[in-house]
Amino acid sequence: MTSKYPDKITVGNPPRPFRKFLQEDEIQRAVLKTADEIHERYRSKNPVFVGVLTGCFMYMADIVRATNLPCTVDFIKLSSYRDGMESGRIKLIKDIDIEIKDRHVILVDDIVDTGNSWDFLRGYLMVRQPASMSMAACFRKPKSIQAGIAVDFISIDLPDEFVVGYGLDYAGAGRHLPDLYVLDEPINS
Ligand code: IMP
Ligand code: MG
């Protein structure tokens, strides 16, 4: 599949250069594989998908459709990345609306970087006594593996680079891109 977006783009204001790293069809193939794994593990369990806003929105829509199971969908929102690439303290901005006691919960996030968000959310939601809790993330960076963070479903492992597209942003921009782009200059320049 050829993409409607060029290999090199600028994103954000002030603009930063990004280069294409993964095509839409490569991402979609990996997402379908993860959806099959989730389907196998949760068939007849009527799970609750809890998407972590905002970055999850594309992956969540693709995963929930492709998993093809009766389910409940809800969202939660944290702020951890402030405007750009700096990681900040985790704060809850929006809670889920539904009762998850005795339900099988699958947290869905765009990317696991340090794993701090996942750690926080697991602790935050486990108090409500779900029947089980797992996490699916579209992308994973190496820091979380080094820190020993276990994520149940990962679609694609990435190098330790800053990325945008497929829901992920740089300072609020770039979420609409169907392909994944990587920053094409040193992060602190
Ligand atoms: P963690 O708590 O360090 O695992 O960070 C997770 C959150 O940081 C993700 O849900 C993203 O919203 C954001 N994040 C981490 N790495 C990137 C990136 O390369 N691009 C855009 N957002 C990122
Ligand atoms: Mg996020």
Side-chain angles (χ1 to χ4, degrees):
M1 198 199 316
T2 50
S3 171
K4 52 183 181 281
Y5 290 95
D7 285 346
K8 290 197 179 250
I9 56 170
T10 57
V11 178
N13 190 13
R16 309 285 295 263
F18 284 83
R19 85 186 125 79
K20 195 173 286 185
F21 189 73
L22 291 169
Q23 295 276 9
E24 178 176 10
D25 56 346
E26 296 176 76
I27 299 172
Q28 291 299 329
R29 261 201 307 278
V31 170
L32 292 184
K33 194 161 166 275
T34 302
D36 282 347
E37 289 167 25
I38 295 175
H39 181 94
E40 283 309 308
R41 175 120 46 117
Y42 288 89
R43 52 162 85 236
S44 78
K45 288 215 167 77
N46 192 12
V48 184
F49 288 92
V50 174
V52 185
L53 292 171
T54 302
C56 77
F57 77 99
M58 275 198 194
Y59 187 57
M60 181 81 163
D62 287 342
I63 278 285
V64 168
R65 271 180 294 189
T67 303
N68 190 23
L69 291 174
C71 64
T72 309
V73 168
D74 203 346
F75 293 92
I76 196 163
K77 187 170 170 103
L78 302 176
S79 79
S80 61
Y81 275 68
R82 269 164 251 168
D83 308 319
M85 300 168 184
E86 289 304 304
S87 165
R89 227 166 43 85
I90 295 175
K91 223 175 74 192
L92 191 83
I93 296 178
K94 184 215 167 293
D95 204 343
I96 49 172
D97 298 321
I98 57 154
E99 169 80 67
I100 55 167
K101 190 172 190 305
D102 300 327
R103 299 288 306 272
H104 293 280
V105 175
I106 307 167
L107 265 174
V108 179
D109 208 345
D110 50 0
I111 187 166
V112 181
D113 179 11
T114 61
N116 291 342
S117 311
W118 169 215
D119 241 22
F120 172 87
L121 285 170
R122 184 173 40 192
Y124 184 76
L125 295 175
M126 279 308 278
V127 176
R128 299 181 196 175
Q129 301 177 294
S132 71
M133 178 127 82
S134 68
M135 189 198 199
C138 187
F139 305 107
R140 172 169 65 181
K141 295 202 223 172
K143 258 186 237 130
S144 66
I145 306 174
Q146 287 147 20
I149 306 276
V151 183
D152 305 81
F153 305 98
I154 290 286
S155 301
I156 296 171
D157 270 302
L158 294 178
D160 195 11
E161 309 263 15
F162 190 82
V163 292
V164 298
Y166 196 61
L168 290 117
D169 72 309
Y170 163 56
R175 294 195 195 275
H176 64 292
L177 299 161
D179 311 297
L180 191 75
Y181 286 82
V182 57
L183 185 68
D184 206 12
E185 64 180 6
I187 279 194
N188 294 316
S189 67

